[in-house]
Amino acid sequence: MKKIYFLQTCDTCKRIMKSLDFSDFEKREIKSQAISPEELDKMKSLSGSYEALFSRKAKKYKELGLKDQTLTEADYQNYILSDYTFLKRPVVIDGSQIFIGNEKKNLEDLALHLNN
């Protein structure tokens, strides 16, 4: 499976998608097409945790006061499923490999992976 989960209005996602070749990937816009529990479970099995998929940069993270709470894996799962902004993005799945977010090291690893 080759899939990229992204947000159409995210400039960083757009920049990443322009700079790397995702022509043979299924593209999934997460605002218009919500992530299913099964898809999130697949991401979790590849990443090791729901927390790894959770974005602390989401506006609602601060608005809901989540930074002052101790969240469980079930909490991370529920928040991601309830609001697309809680998914760290983009998420790129290529077979058994997963690349989450836009941190420099992650993007370097992704570029290396795609060029091999």
Side-chain angles (χ1 to χ4, degrees), residues 5-6 8 11-12 45 48 63 78 84 97 99 102 107 112:
Y5 296 86
F6 69 101
Q8 187 67 44
D11 290 336
T12 303
S45 71
E63 288 173 7
N78 291 331
Y84 67 90
Q97 296 277 353
F99 301 89
N102 57 31
L107 295 178
L112 202 66

Side-chain angles (χ1 to χ4, degrees), residues 101-116:
N102 57 31
E103 289 81 19
K104 184 178 180 182
K105 173 78 170 111
N106 181 59
L107 295 178
E108 289 170 355
D109 292 346
L110 175 58
L112 202 66
H113 173 78
L114 293 176
N115 291 327
N116 285 338

Side-chain angles (χ1 to χ4, degrees), residues 76-108:
Y76 292 121
Q77 177 188 26
N78 291 331
Y79 281 118
I80 294 169
L81 288 173
S82 70
D83 191 312
Y84 67 90
T85 61
F86 284 118
L87 181 68
K88 193 181 288 186
R89 54 194 183 271
V91 174
V92 178
I93 298 174
D94 189 358
S96 63
Q97 296 277 353
I98 188 167
F99 301 89
I100 306 162
N102 57 31
E103 289 81 19
K104 184 178 180 182
K105 173 78 170 111
N106 181 59
L107 295 178
E108 289 170 355

